[in-house]
Structure formats: structure tokens, C-alpha cells
């Protein structure tokens, strides 16, 4: 028995030693940071900020790679099936916990297939409208849409995306018959919105900041309960006449399930440190997001709650993949 006990202790000690050595050596080669959305969108902007900061902090390149499609499930599936060694990560958004309610079948479990590294940021979306639309606020837009059903469209980054759901929630709560137009990424949606191909979109703050000050788009409302400092003159949706409307989008970093805890904790620690620096805070502020790093455990719990919350919203408003 003593021999067995000593062997067991030796095994535990060796595992701890290997894990510690692995974490100390990590990363010793470039890390892929998968963005499951097209370039130029909200998630992509934050990923490139984080990738650059982590590259400097950890001494290896964190290379952003876009794998868009199917409401972010293509790129996310790629990471779910990757080796759990910390060298393939994915930056997810709220869409990650919406997809299971939108798609009939999924090749991975949004919770069990991943090891959570950290929550990253929170941000509202902004209801953006092309200047050619003869409306100057939310109430006028709703009235216009009701007067000419399905002539006003709202663009999103794809079926099942956060943009899709926020638009669907708006339609449900106002009765405005806006017609959904899914794109293969928020970049294409933004381009057509500015060109007037589509009339409206619920877009990330970076898109608003790049178009609204120049007059290329009008900002009617932000989706959160409070106004944001980047657009102080833009009312909240509730202020604009939609009582009870409140929603935001968050981003988080995940690794494949089974990634060593030591590596997860090392990444988590580095992210917390770099997001507290003035330089990172300014870059994220300029991108229209608020840093909200967390422990892996706290974000895991939050994802479960968010999945339940958005599942109820999907059922209530009847959103389905078109």
C-alpha cells in the first residue's frame, strides 16, 4: 500500500511539474487567434487590439485569422476541434450563446467544448440609419416602417448574429415591420448601409464612430440602459421611446476543452494586466468598448446564464435562420 501511495503521489507531483513547465514555456511559437467573423467588424477590431498587446506582453505573435460564416459557428467549430495546447484560441461574442437556439444541429457544445480564458469587453450596439431615410428619430422610423410595411430593411452580419437578434427584438417591441437582410459579416452590412442599399442596421460602436461624425449615417439610439461617452448626444433606446429595450454585446476568449489550466490561467493573468494599462484602455475606448476582464470561472457561469436569457428572447420573438 505504501508503494502504491508513493507512486500516486509521484504521479501527481510529475503532473504538476509538467503543467508548471508547460505554462512557463508557453508560448514558444505563434498563437492563432481565430475570429469567427469577417474582417472589419466589431469582434475583429477588438481581436486585433488584443492580439497586438498579447504579442508584446508574451513575446510571441498572436496572429488574428478570420474564419467567418454560419453565425460564427464555422470558426468556432475549427477551434473546438483544435489541439488543446493553447496555440489556437477563439474570440467569441454574444452570438456564441445565441447560435444553439437558432441552428437545429451544431457540431460542438458552446459550453462543454471549450475552456474559458476570460471575458474581455462589453459594448452597446447603435441603431444606425442612412441619411436618405426620411426619419430623424426612433419614433419617426417606426411610423415610417408601419406606413410602408417591409420597405425598410435592417442589415446584420448574418443569420443568428447579435445584430440579427437585436433587430428582431426591436421589431418585436415596436411592431415596426423591418425586413432582415443577412450579410456575410458586419463589414459588408456597413458598406451597403452607407451606400443606401439597406436603410438601417444595429451595428457596433466602431462602425458608428467611423460614419456618424462625418454625417454618412445617423445614430438614433444605443441599445444599453445608459448613454455612452463616445456618443453622448445619442439617446438610449428607452429614452427614444422603446420602454424596456436593453441589450449589449460582450466578447470573450476561449480555448479548446482540455487546455491545461496553467496555460488558461497564464493567459487570463496577462489579459487582466494589459487591459488595466492606460494604452489598452484608450485603444478599447476608441473602439467603443469597455474592458470587463473576468476569471474563467465567472465567465463560465455568465455564459450559462446568457444562454438561458437569449434562448428565451429567441423563442419570444420567433427568430429562425432564413
Amino acid at each position: 500500500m505504501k508503494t502504491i501511495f508513493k507512486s500516486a503521489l509521484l504521479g501527481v507531483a510529475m503532473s504538476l511539474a509538467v503543467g508548471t513547465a508547460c505554462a512557463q514555456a508557453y508560448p514558444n511559437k505563434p498563437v492563432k487567434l481565430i475570429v469567427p467573423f469577417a474582417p472589419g467588424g466589431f469582434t475583429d477590431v477588438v481581436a486585433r487590439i488584443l492580439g497586438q498587446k498579447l504579442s508584446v506582453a508574451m513575446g510571441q505573435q498572436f496572429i488574428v485569422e478570420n474564419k467567418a460564416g454560419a453565425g460564427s459557428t464555422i470558426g468556432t467549430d475549427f477551434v473546438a476541434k483544435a489541439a488543446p495546447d493553447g496555440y489556437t484560441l477563439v474570440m467569441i461574442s454574444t452570438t456564441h450563446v445565441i447560435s444553439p437556439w437558432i441552428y437545429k444541429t451544431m457540431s460542438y457544445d458552446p459550453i462543454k467544448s471549450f475552456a474559458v480564458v476570460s471575458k474581455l469587453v462589453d459594448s452597446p450596439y447603435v441603431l444606425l440609419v442612412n441619411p436618405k431615410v426620411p426619419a430623424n428619430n426612433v419614433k419617426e422610423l417606426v411610423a415610417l416602417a408601419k406606413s410602408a410595411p417591409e420597405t425598410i430593411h435592417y442589415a446584420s452580419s448574418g443569420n443568428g448574429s447579435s445584430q440579427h437578434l437585436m433587430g428582431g427584438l426591436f421589431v418585436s417591441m415596436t411592431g415596426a415591420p423591418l425586413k432582415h437582410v443577412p450579410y456575410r459579416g458586419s463589414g459588408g452590412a456597413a458598406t451597403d448601409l452607407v451606400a443606401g442599399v439597406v436603410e438601417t442596421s444595429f451595428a457596433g460602436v466602431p462602425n458608428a464612430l467611423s460614419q456618424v461624425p462625418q454625417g454618412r449615417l445617423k445614430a438614433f439610439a444605443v441599445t444599453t440602459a445608459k448613454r455612452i461617452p463616445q456618443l453622448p448626444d445619442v439617446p438610449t433606446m428607452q429614452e427614444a421611446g422603446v420602454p424596456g429595450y436593453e441589450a449589449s454585446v460582450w466578447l470573450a476568449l476561449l480555448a479548446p476543452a482540455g487546455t491545461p489550466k496553467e496555460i488558461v490561467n497564464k493567459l487570463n493573468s496577462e489579459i487582466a494586466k494589459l487591459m488595466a494599462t492606460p494604452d489598452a484602455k484608450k485603444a478599447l475606448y476608441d473602439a467603443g468598448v469597455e474592458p470587463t476582464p473576468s476569471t474563467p470561472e465567472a465567465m463560465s457561469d455568465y455564459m450559462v446564464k446568457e444562454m438561458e436569457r437569449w434562448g428565451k428572447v429567441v423563442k419570444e420573438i420567433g427568430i429562425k435562420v432564413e
Side-chain angles (χ1 to χ4, degrees):
M1 288 295 293
K2 287 183 178 180
T3 302
I4 294 173
F5 183 67
K6 288 180 179 178
S7 297
L9 283 178
L10 180 61
V12 171
M14 288 180 66
S15 296
L16 290 172
V18 170
T20 302
C22 181
Q24 288 175 345
Y26 176 86
N28 57 23
K29 63 180 180 180
V31 178
K32 282 186 179 180
L33 176 49
I34 303 299
V35 174
F37 300 97
F42 164 71
T43 311
D44 185 63
V45 169
V46 176
R48 293 182 188 282
I49 293 171
L50 183 68
Q52 190 273 328
K53 301 295 182 187
L54 284 173
S55 296
V56 173
M58 302 190 77
Q60 286 288 344
Q61 287 296 308
F62 280 69
I63 302 168
V64 175
E65 186 175 324
N66 298 86
K67 288 185 178 292
S72 83
T73 60
I74 291 175
T76 308
D77 176 70
F78 175 82
V79 177
K81 292 177 170 61
D85 56 9
Y87 289 95
T88 308
L89 309 172
V90 62
M91 185 177 290
I92 60 158
S93 74
T94 312
T95 302
H96 184 75
V97 295
I98 295 171
S99 295
W101 304 105
I102 301 290
Y103 294 94
K104 291 182 179 179
T105 59
M106 292 188 56
S107 57
Y108 59 85
D109 186 296
I111 306 298
K112 296 178 182 178
S113 299
F114 301 93
V116 175
V117 175
S118 179
K119 188 181 183 188
L120 300 172
V121 300
D122 280 302
S123 180
Y125 272 178
V126 185
L127 173 54
L128 299 178
V129 180
N130 186 278
K132 295 179 182 178
V133 176
N136 296 304
N137 54 54
V138 169
K139 289 183 178 179
E140 290 182 7
L141 177 66
V142 171
L144 179 65
K146 288 180 177 179
S147 69
E150 296 196 347
T151 60
I152 305 295
H153 305 77
Y154 76 95
S156 83
S157 56
N159 285 312
S161 65
S162 300
Q163 288 179 284
H164 181 188
L165 208 63
M166 290 191 185
L169 185 60
F170 178 81
V171 169
S172 174
M173 294 184 73
T174 63
L178 305 185
K179 190 173 179 60
H180 177 227
V181 182
Y183 282 77
R184 292 178 60 85
S186 57
T191 298
D192 274 8
L193 177 61
V194 172
V197 177
V198 287
E199 293 80 14
T200 73
S201 181
F202 285 78
V205 176
N207 284 335
L209 295 177
S210 66
Q211 305 295 345
V212 172
Q214 292 78 18
R216 289 191 286 266
L217 293 174
K218 297 184 286 188
F220 279 5
V222 294
T223 60
T224 42
K226 296 181 180 180
R227 296 191 184 198
I228 60 172
Q230 294 92 339
L231 296 167
D233 296 329
V234 178
T236 67
M237 195 66 75
Q238 296 187 47
E239 290 174 330
V242 189
Y245 190 108
E246 181 183 352
S248 63
V249 63
W250 47 261
L251 302 181
L253 192 67
L254 307 183
T259 300
K261 189 68 175 175
E262 294 80 10
I263 290 177
V264 169
N265 288 340
K266 186 171 185 177
L267 282 166
N268 180 274
S269 176
E270 289 294 339
I271 288 169
K273 285 190 292 186
L274 74 85
M275 283 196 165
T277 63
D279 184 49
K281 283 183 177 180
K282 183 180 185 306
L284 293 169
Y285 175 88
D286 290 343
V289 300
E290 179 184 358
T292 52
S294 71
T295 64
E297 294 77 17
M299 187 58 197
S300 294
D301 292 341
Y302 182 67
M303 282 171 59
V304 172
K305 292 176 182 177
E306 279 285 274
M307 191 166 170
E308 292 174 356
R309 177 199 177 203
W310 286 109
K312 291 178 182 177
V313 173
V314 169
K315 291 175 182 177
E316 286 172 3
I317 63 183
I319 285 184
K320 297 178 181 179
V321 170
E322 297 168 357

